[in-house]
Amino acid sequence: MAEVALRIGGRTHLVACRDGGEARLAAIGRRLDAHAAAAARAAGAAGGERMMLLIALMLADEHAEA
């Protein structure tokens, strides 16, 4: 099992994936990080968990529009 370090919103998260899935997981991490600044502003003092929720909602909205 491989492990990938994802940097999202200035924090590093180690995530395991199947061998060979590292590049795809890294690309997904970059996509999450692209939304991190806006989500952090919207989350305010609530911090990390709320920021991740907002990122998930942004991605779900993009998916729904596609």
Side-chain angles (χ1 to χ4, degrees), residues 6-52:
L6 303 179
R7 188 128 176 104
I8 301 168
R11 297 179 67 186
T12 300
H13 305 271
L14 291 176
V15 180
C17 67
R18 292 183 181 166
D19 290 333
E22 299 91 342
R24 184 165 192 251
L25 182 57
I28 292 168
R30 287 189 298 275
R31 194 165 173 206
L32 294 173
D33 190 51
H35 291 289
R41 284 191 302 275
E49 187 175 321
R50 182 151 178 91
M51 181 184 80
M52 290 301 232

Side-chain angles (χ1 to χ4, degrees), residues 48-63:
E49 187 175 321
R50 182 151 178 91
M51 181 184 80
M52 290 301 232
L53 169 65
L54 293 172
I55 290 171
L57 290 170
M58 289 175 188
L59 291 173
D61 185 53
E62 285 179 8
H63 182 72

